Amino acid sequence: MKPEIVQKCPFAVEVTEGQTYYWCSCGLSKKQPFCDGGHQGTEFRPTPYKATETKTVQFCGCKHSKNGVLCDGSHSSI
């Protein structure tokens, strides 16, 4: 099963140090880039990301990053 491509660019999100965010790995969530339980009935599970500092991070929007939750530019070859 392959994830749905939500968008071919990253989601820039301000994260807060110490907070854990649950990135949607399936592409079915209506609250992108985070999980809302849309993966129910699939093999996908949300991927936790713990912020080590408060800053803007680029969460993967195409769901094909080899960097896990963070964009690695994979969207440019899809």
Side-chain angles (χ1 to χ4, degrees), residues 23-72:
W23 177 75
C24 168
S25 64
C26 66
L28 300 174
S29 174
K30 303 289 186 225
K31 296 184 179 187
Q32 292 295 328
F34 303 116
C35 179
D36 70 357
H39 63 274
Q40 299 291 329
T42 73
E43 62 190 42
F44 294 100
R45 298 293 173 261
T47 305
Y49 172 82
K50 180 146 186 169
T52 57
E53 60 183 304
T54 298
K55 66 179 183 176
T56 300
V57 297
Q58 304 291 319
F59 285 101
C60 176
C62 74
K63 311 301 179 185
H64 287 80
S65 175
K66 305 216 182 354
N67 266 354
V69 305
L70 302 178
C71 178
D72 69 355

Side-chain angles (χ1 to χ4, degrees), residues 5-36:
I5 297 171
V6 178
Q7 65 183 30
K8 292 186 178 182
C9 61
F11 290 93
V13 178
E14 178 79 17
V15 297
T16 303
E17 180 180 359
Q19 294 278 70
T20 300
Y21 300 84
Y22 292 90
W23 177 75
C24 168
S25 64
C26 66
L28 300 174
S29 174
K30 303 289 186 225
K31 296 184 179 187
Q32 292 295 328
F34 303 116
C35 179
D36 70 357

